[in-house]
Every structure is written in structure tokens, then in C-alpha cells.
């Protein structure tokens, strides 16, 4: 297999980067990683050197360039079909794709107010309130997936998959901002956050030298 390199933003803040990184790790595909620190003078030029679309993450696999978190996750699923990153059942797979796309395209209030910050925990009831409708939708969505498709394990569709990659940063946000959660939501959040790969990402994030104060931006 040609060399695989995933270019990502700082692990403490780059929620989009966590998603395909987790897919690669869970699929057992070896890859190099390059971290481009966000919000520095050289950031834009550094990203453009890796991805003409100007965003991270981007995957380089030999000569192939794949950008956008969900497109990379899809590619990883094709590289490693045995990893079962999409459910085998067509109906479950269609719902898994729907919930992944909903995350990819939506939840702006949650993303804007409860940004991912793995360097510190925040308490801001006003921000949680501003994201309340998105949080309610996420909890309902997860409960529905777990109830209909989750019998085979602790994840949205039982075993770990791309839908879980897409929501892993949401788990970190809900946990990091101290959001009150239904017990079943808490169980799912804990299942994701205690995955060894997620813990490894968090440890690397905590060790990063860069700090961004998003509250003051
Ligand atoms: N829809 C894109 C979003 C990517 C994105 O917004 N990435 C941020 C980092 S988390 C970025 O590249 N920011 C740098 C910039 O916009 O200059 C994806 O899913 O990959």
C-alpha cells in the first residue's frame, strides 16, 4: 500500500481532524500524521501547501489527495472493508450515512458555542442554553440509533463505525462543557471517550505547545 499521510489541525481544537484520524486508527491502517497549528500567521499558507481547498484534514495516499473529513472516512472504509466502518445491513447503513451527513452539515449552534477544547474544561450555562436545541436533537438521534441498531455493542450502530467518528468530537464537547446528559447519552459518550485511540488523541492534545483562546476571538 502506498504511504498514507493525514494532515490535521492541532489536536486540542481540530474537531474535523479527529474524525478521519479515528477512522484510520480504528481501521488499523498505518499512516503518518502532519500537524498544522491553526490560527497562526503561517497557517493558511501551510494548509494550502497540503490542500488547495484550504482546509484540514486532508489525506495523501501516494499521489491521491482526499480532502474533507467525511470523504476521507468514506475512503478509509473502502481501504479497509473488514473493519466494518459502515453497518453491513443496508437500512442501518443508510441511517448511519444520514446521521453522519447531518453532523457534517449541521449543528452550527452546538459547534459555535461549545467548541472543542481538549486543553481545558469550560462552564458556561449561557452557551449550553444557546446550543440546547442541537443538544436535544443529538440526544434523540443517538437514542434512536442505539435502540434500533445498537444491540451489537456500545456504539451508535453496535460496533464502532464512521457515525461514531463523526460524533466523537461532539462527545468531547458535551463532556468538556459539563452538559447534563440523559444516562443513555452519558453511556455512549463514555464509550467513545474511553476508546484507547480517543484517549491517545487527548493525551497528544494536552501535550501540544499551542493554546488558542477561542472565548476571546
Ligand atoms: N467540511 C470540512 C471542514 C474542515 C474545516 O473547517 N477545517 C478547519 C480546521 S478544524 C480548517 O481547516 N480551518 C482553517 C481555515 O479555515 O483556515 C471537513 O469536514 O473537513
Amino acid at each position: 500500500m502506498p504511504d498514507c499521510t493525514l494532515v490535521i489541525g492541532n489536536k486540542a481544537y481540530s474537531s474535523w481532524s479527529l474524525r478521519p484520524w479515528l477512522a484510520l486508527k480504528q481501521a488499523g491502517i498505518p499512516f503518518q500524521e502532519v500537524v498544522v497549528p491553526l490560527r497562526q500567521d503561517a497557517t493558511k499558507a501551510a494548509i494550502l501547501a497540503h490542500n488547495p481547498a484550504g482546509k484540514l484534514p486532508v489525506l495523501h495516499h501516494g499521489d491521491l489527495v482526499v480532502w474533507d473529513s467525511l470523504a476521507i472516512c468514506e475512503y478509509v472504509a473502502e481501504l479497509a472493508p473488514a473493519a466494518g466502518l459502515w453497518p453491513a445491513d443496508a437500512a442501518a447503513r443508510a441511517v448511519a450515512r444520514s446521521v453522519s451527513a447531518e453532523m457534517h452539515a449541521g449543528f452550527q449552534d452546538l459547534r459555535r458555542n461549545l467548541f472543542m477544547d481538549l486543553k481545558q474544561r469550560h462552564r458556561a450555562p449561557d452557551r449550553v442554553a444557546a446550543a440546547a436545541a442541537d443538544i436535544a436533537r443529538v440526544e434523540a438521534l443517538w437514542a434512536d440509533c442505539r435502540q434500533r441498531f445498537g444491540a451489537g455493542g456500545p456504539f451508535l450502530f453496535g460496533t464502532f463505525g464512521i457515525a461514531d467518528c463523526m460524533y466523537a468530537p461532539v462527545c468531547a464537547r458535551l463532556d468538556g462543557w459539563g452538559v447534563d446528559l440523559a444516562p443513555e447519552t452519558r453511556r455512549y459518550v463514555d464509550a467513545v471517550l474511553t476508546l484507547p485511540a480517543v484517549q491517545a488523541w487527548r493525551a497528544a492534545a494536552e501535550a501540544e505547545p499551542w493554546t488558542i483562546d477561542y472565548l476571546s476571538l
Side-chain angles (χ1 to χ4, degrees), residues 1-6 59-66 75 79:
M1 197 187 282
D3 277 355
C4 233
T5 301
L6 185 69
L59 180 76
H60 291 244
H61 190 206
D63 291 337
L64 179 68
V65 180
V66 187
Y75 183 61
L79 285 180

Side-chain angles (χ1 to χ4, degrees), residues 24-188:
L24 283 162
K25 285 286 178 194
Q26 293 297 115
I29 295 174
F31 65 102
Q32 327 279 331
E33 62 181 54
V34 172
V35 178
V36 174
L38 299 171
R39 296 204 172 248
Q40 303 206 347
D41 290 346
T43 299
K44 200 71 202 173
I47 295 176
L48 284 169
H50 295 288
N51 179 14
K55 295 281 183 198
L56 300 174
V58 58
L59 180 76
H60 291 244
H61 190 206
D63 291 337
L64 179 68
V65 180
V66 187
W67 65 98
D68 192 282
S69 56
L70 190 50
I72 302 169
C73 287
E74 289 276 8
Y75 183 61
V76 173
E78 292 190 20
L79 285 180
L85 291 176
W86 288 122
D89 173 72
R93 193 162 62 249
V95 176
R97 285 202 160 103
S98 297
V99 303
S100 299
E102 185 173 345
M103 174 68 249
H104 193 243
F107 299 116
Q108 264 85 8
D109 288 339
L110 192 156
R111 280 159 42 192
R112 186 173 46 251
N113 287 288
L114 309 182
F115 52 84
M116 190 174 89
D117 184 348
L118 298 180
K119 287 209 153 192
Q120 57 176 322
R121 293 180 173 272
H122 297 276
R123 291 295 175 269
D126 53 330
R127 284 179 172 260
V128 174
D134 281 356
I135 294 168
R137 170 63 188 155
V138 163
E139 289 206 81
L141 186 65
W142 289 354
D144 181 56
C145 291
R146 292 278 311 129
Q147 191 189 344
R148 289 159 70 202
F149 305 109
F155 299 107
L156 293 179
F157 294 83
T159 56
F160 186 87
I162 287 174
D164 304 296
C165 294
M166 294 306 290
Y167 284 94
V170 177
C171 295
R173 290 164 192 244
L174 297 177
D175 182 63
W177 288 85
V179 177
D180 281 334
L181 300 171
E184 61 193 5
T185 311
R186 185 75 243 176
R187 272 195 295 280
Y188 173 66

